[in-house]
Amino acid sequence: MADQRFRILLVEDNPGDAFLVRTLLDETGDPFDIEHCSDLTSALTILNGDGPGARFDVVLLDLTLPDSSGVETIRRVRSCANSAPVVVLTGHKDEELAFEALQHGAEDYLTKEFPDGRTIRRSIRYAIERSRAERALKESEERYRKLVELAPELISILSGEEITYINQQGLTILGAEDTTELVGRSFMEMVNPSSREILSEYIERYRNGYSGRADFVIMCNRPDGETVELEVSAIAFTHEGAPAMLMLAEDVTEKRKVERQLVQTSKLATLGEMAASVAHEMNQPLNVIRMAADTCALQYDLEAVKPAFQRERLSLISGQTERMSEIIKHLQIYSRPDDDDFAPFDPMKAVGRAVDMIEHDCRLSGIMIDVVPPAQMCRVNGRQVQLEQVLVNMLTNARDAINENGDDANSIGGLIRVSAMIDQDEKFLKLAVNDNGGGVPEAAIDLLFHPFFTTKDVGKGTGLGLSVSYGIVEAMGGKIDVRNEGDGACFEVTLPVAQIGKELEADGDEPVARNARVHDDCVDRAGRQAVRVLVVDDEIDAMEIIAAYLEAQGYSVSAATNGEDALAIAGVMPPTILITDIRMPHMDGNSLVKALRARNPAMPVIVMTGHPGDAERPVDDDDGADAPVMVMPKPLDLQELLGILDELAEVYGE
């Protein structure tokens, strides 16, 4: 088909538009022969003629002609002796007219905005291919069946929701052995509830006569319990004289798994390269904690304890612990697999966190990072942690380029600038990462986003970062460009803007400070004494500190270092409230909670966890207990724990 010349009959009364169509199609480089008619009568004369000159591959048809207008024009062209697929080319941007045109036999409906020739070319090729496919189906039913049965995709015909035909590959994908298991059934029965709404929408469109193409993704459940992800392309079909939907679907389940693994591999590789910097970041607060603790101990050794000094040092230790907790928390969020749905987020938060991860290492290398925010706040649609991954990769590459070409940076030193700008139409955000690291070799620019291609020395890069980044940005509806600017490289990410405006500043999506709660004694000491708290943690020091703190606050406390001992203690002294770690040897927190709630469904639980996955689903409580499960991340804030405990005691205490 690539070597074949296509004959196009262009029916257009405006010479300027006709010239523009010719020009745009010529620019595509495809072999099109175009014959132009300025009225319908001339076009019908040609199409009703004899010989090869009367046969065309496609008719580009204006609906407003001197001797005809509206969808009736389409019918007259389609009724000619030498019929050809019709692509409407009109200045009317009218959805109802477009719908009516498609109903009357047009293959596509293009407005005269002419963004580029590729749109017209794609429409022409689609019209030609569809017309040929229809002729092939009429000429040979057997050929059609063989083609469909040998196809590697699921092919099915739906009359409404009912499956009237499905090929062999469809049976394999959906886990059926014979067509009798599926034909006559509703396809909706196999669709995951999360995908039923979108499939219902398209089924209804085709039932009402929609003749265009639709592309969407659905999840289906197999009889063996497996869930498969299908990329569907659907077109209109006629079954027994009624509108139906011809559906072609590719099973992309494994493809998606590989893509997610590739993204995860890239993130872990980045973290591995940053290990030394992360270790240094952790050692800084550890050093402060160690010295603060030693100076406190020294006062005891000298028998010169000063309470104010001790409190100051203990406060310093608490603050440095919080600093370490934030570092660990962000590394956990960054490294975990990305299964969240797309949602609007502030891209500058991703910039800030990415810079935080790489800034210390850059500072050690004498590299400054300059961040230039956009004039207005905005949000883009996607996953924030994935944009962080893209930016961390670009910042890391910029740092490495500057380090490798340090002698060429002249006297200004290493500089990385991250700038954000919203375009004049407020439709796109451009995030640019510039460096003065000497730039990218021109021969390598076109290969940078290919998997496993890297310009770094052996052992210094996986070649995955930029290819994965390209896929992430593309999935968010954007693109990545790279070019050399000045004395370095510029990587530019363009993303569609989802929300924009100063009103975003008032959004309350910033985390509330952990110590914002003002704790008061809502439960008196006598009330606390009546509440028995069971503390379970396999870390003995942690368990003892929590138990001693709560006892000092007036609570009756039992303690255990594993689930089995806790269960035995609870048999003798039933707890009012359970405080437990999740990941413990022998009997973990999930099993302990289930066992204790079998005895007392109204027992509230406070879960302590240092793992982000536990915070999302802290306990497997399928029976629907009557009391809440509160989650507290480690390291614990004991004052916050006391506040939560008091609130629970007030409601659930005896």
Side-chain angles (χ1 to χ4, degrees):
M1 182 173 178
D3 298 327
Q4 180 180 351
R5 300 194 68 83
F6 297 108
R7 299 194 70 227
I8 299 173
L9 179 60
L10 174 61
V11 187
E12 170 60 66
D13 64 326
N14 187 320
D17 287 347
F19 175 77
L20 184 56
V21 171
R22 284 179 178 274
T23 302
L24 290 173
L25 289 177
D26 286 343
E27 289 175 353
T28 66
D30 280 6
F32 293 125
D33 289 331
I34 302 174
E35 186 162 341
H36 176 220
C37 292
S38 58
D39 57 66
L40 184 63
T41 302
S42 302
L44 296 180
T45 301
I46 294 175
L47 290 171
N48 284 315
D50 296 324
R55 290 190 287 272
F56 291 87
D57 294 291
V58 68
V59 177
L60 291 180
L61 180 64
D62 188 3
L63 292 186
T64 306
L65 298 168
D67 52 351
S68 181
S69 64
V71 295
E72 176 65 17
T73 309
I74 301 172
R75 187 196 63 77
R76 294 176 65 183
V77 170
R78 296 284 289 173
S79 63
C80 289
N82 296 291
S83 180
V86 174
V87 173
V88 172
L89 204 58
T90 178
H92 296 288
K93 194 172 184 180
D94 187 331
E95 291 186 4
E96 291 187 6
L97 180 60
F99 183 75
E100 193 175 356
L102 295 174
Q103 278 189 315
H104 282 74
E107 304 293 338
D108 205 350
Y109 184 98
L110 301 178
T111 59
K112 293 182 180 179
E113 296 175 348
F114 302 134
D116 53 43
R118 289 176 297 177
T119 301
I120 306 175
R121 179 192 64 182
R122 184 169 61 249
S123 183
I124 290 172
R125 286 183 170 272
Y126 172 70
I128 293 172
E129 285 298 327
R130 181 174 176 181
S131 177
R132 290 181 175 180
E134 288 175 351
R135 287 200 302 269
L137 289 175
K138 292 176 182 177
E139 292 170 358
S140 177
E141 178 73 13
E142 184 61 27
R143 186 188 310 163
Y144 155 73
R145 288 195 175 277
K146 287 182 179 179
L147 177 65
V148 171
E149 289 302 324
L150 291 175
E153 298 88 6
L154 176 153
I155 299 179
S156 179
I157 299 173
L158 301 186
S159 178
E161 294 183 5
E162 181 184 344
I163 301 172
T164 59
Y165 171 80
I166 189 165
N167 67 344
Q168 186 59 46
Q169 182 64 10
L171 297 177
T172 303
I173 290 174
L174 295 177
E177 295 182 359
D178 191 80
T179 55
T180 56
E181 297 180 37
L182 299 181
V183 173
R185 287 179 57 188
S186 169
F187 193 87
M188 202 68 70
E189 295 177 13
M190 288 157 282
V191 176
N192 190 282
S194 63
S195 300
R196 287 177 184 168
E197 183 177 350
I198 187 170
L199 181 61
S200 296
E201 177 186 342
Y202 286 106
I203 286 176
E204 192 63 27
R205 283 192 193 182
Y206 286 105
R207 179 185 284 156
N208 292 332
Y210 176 66
S211 58
R213 173 174 171 167
D215 297 290
F216 52 94
V217 177
I218 59 174
M219 308 294 291
C220 290
N221 299 328
R222 291 164 48 103
D224 58 8
E226 293 292 324
T227 300
V228 292
E229 183 175 352
L230 303 181
E231 280 188 354
V232 180
S233 294
I235 59 172
F237 199 76
T238 301
H239 176 70
E240 297 181 352
M245 181 170 73
L246 176 62
M247 186 171 69
L248 182 146
E250 180 186 359
D251 182 1
V252 295
T253 309
E254 291 302 318
K255 177 183 175 183
R256 292 288 178 265
K257 287 181 181 177
V258 171
E259 288 176 352
R260 286 192 290 268
Q261 289 170 356
L262 193 61
V263 170
Q264 189 66 9
T265 298
S266 174
K267 286 202 295 188
L268 295 179
T270 302
L271 285 176
E273 293 175 7
M274 296 170 59
S277 177
V278 171
H280 189 278
E281 281 290 287
M282 295 294 288
N283 277 330
Q284 293 288 76
L286 281 173
N287 183 51
V288 174
I289 290 171
R290 177 65 181 269
M291 290 189 296
D294 286 348
T295 54
C296 286
L298 180 61
Q299 283 194 349
Y300 282 97
D301 292 341
L302 298 175
E303 297 182 353
V305 175
K306 297 177 181 179
F309 179 87
Q310 295 280 328
R311 178 169 291 279
E312 178 189 346
R313 289 297 182 267
L314 292 173
S315 178
L316 181 61
I317 289 172
S318 179
Q320 294 299 311
T321 303
E322 182 66 22
R323 175 183 169 189
M324 293 174 63
S325 176
E326 287 300 317
I327 295 171
I328 294 171
K329 186 188 302 180
H330 187 63
L331 290 174
Q332 287 174 327
I333 293 172
Y334 179 81
S335 62
R336 71 182 180 184
D338 304 307
D339 296 322
D340 298 333
D341 293 333
F342 275 20
F345 68 92
D346 182 356
M348 294 311 295
K349 290 184 180 178
V351 170
R353 290 189 173 181
V355 169
D356 285 345
M357 293 185 70
I358 198 73
E359 188 173 30
H360 177 75
D361 202 37
C362 288
R363 195 163 57 245
L364 293 178
S365 301
I367 301 170
M368 290 184 59
I369 300 181
D370 183 25
V371 177
V372 182
Q376 285 182 283
M377 292 185 67
C378 71
R379 284 192 173 85
V380 297
N381 204 36
R383 301 184 181 100
Q384 179 176 322
V385 71
Q386 286 193 336
L387 183 57
E388 287 177 35
Q389 180 179 356
V390 172
L391 293 167
V392 165
N393 182 265
M394 291 180 176
L395 290 168
T396 303
N397 288 343
R399 176 204 64 194
D400 293 345
I402 293 172
N403 285 336
E404 290 173 8
N405 299 275
D407 294 338
D408 299 328
N410 301 322
S411 59
I412 63 174
L415 175 65
I416 301 173
R417 175 171 286 113
V418 184
S419 57
M421 181 184 69
I422 299 172
D423 70 341
Q424 290 183 347
D425 297 329
E426 299 186 346
K427 292 183 177 180
F428 294 96
L429 171 74
K430 294 180 181 289
L431 284 173
V433 178
N434 293 75
D435 64 66
N436 60 345
V440 180
E442 291 297 329
I445 286 181
D446 292 336
L447 301 173
L448 280 180
F449 299 107
H450 291 198
F452 303 107
F453 176 83
T454 178
T455 58
K456 298 178 182 179
D457 295 337
V458 175
K460 292 188 178 180
T462 62
L464 290 175
L466 287 176
S467 63
V468 169
S469 298
Y470 186 89
I472 289 172
V473 173
E474 189 178 52
M476 293 173 65
K479 62 178 183 177
I480 301 181
D481 294 315
V482 58
R483 59 184 178 272
N484 287 322
E485 276 188 4
D487 53 358
C490 174
F491 285 82
E492 187 175 73
V493 176
T494 303
L495 295 171
V497 171
Q499 300 172 11
I500 190 169
K502 294 183 178 179
E503 65 274 8
L504 297 180
E505 297 175 4
D507 261 9
D509 57 357
E510 287 292 336
V512 179
R514 291 188 58 189
N515 293 325
R517 176 202 305 265
V518 177
H519 175 66
D520 56 2
D521 286 336
C522 58
V523 179
D524 58 24
R525 295 186 68 84
R528 288 175 176 170
Q529 191 65 38
V531 176
R532 177 157 294 278
V533 180
L534 176 57
V535 179
V536 189
D537 195 321
D538 62 324
E539 188 68 38
I540 297 176
D541 291 340
M543 179 267 290
E544 290 180 345
I545 290 173
I546 295 170
Y549 177 79
L550 295 179
E551 280 184 340
Q553 298 295 331
Y555 280 101
S556 298
V557 180
S558 304
T561 56
N562 60 70
E564 292 176 343
D565 289 349
L567 202 57
I569 292 172
V572 178
M573 294 179 289
T576 311
I577 300 171
L578 172 66
I579 301 176
T580 182
D581 193 8
I582 285 293
R583 303 193 175 210
M584 299 183 294
H586 307 303
M587 176 185 282
D588 64 11
N590 279 313
S591 302
L592 175 61
V593 171
K594 278 194 170 185
L596 289 179
R597 278 196 161 170
R599 303 176 186 178
N600 178 15
M603 181 184 65
V605 176
I606 299 175
V607 169
M608 307 176 293
T609 179
H611 194 278
D614 294 337
E616 293 169 0
R617 183 170 175 79
V619 290
D620 298 324
D621 189 14
D622 299 326
D623 299 328
D626 299 332
V629 174
M630 313 292 288
V631 181
M632 293 194 66
K634 292 183 178 180
L636 292 182
D637 181 327
L638 290 178
Q639 288 187 347
E640 185 179 359
L641 173 63
L642 180 63
I644 292 173
L645 201 58
D646 281 348
E647 291 176 3
L648 292 175
E650 205 176 17
V651 177
Y652 296 94
E654 298 177 353

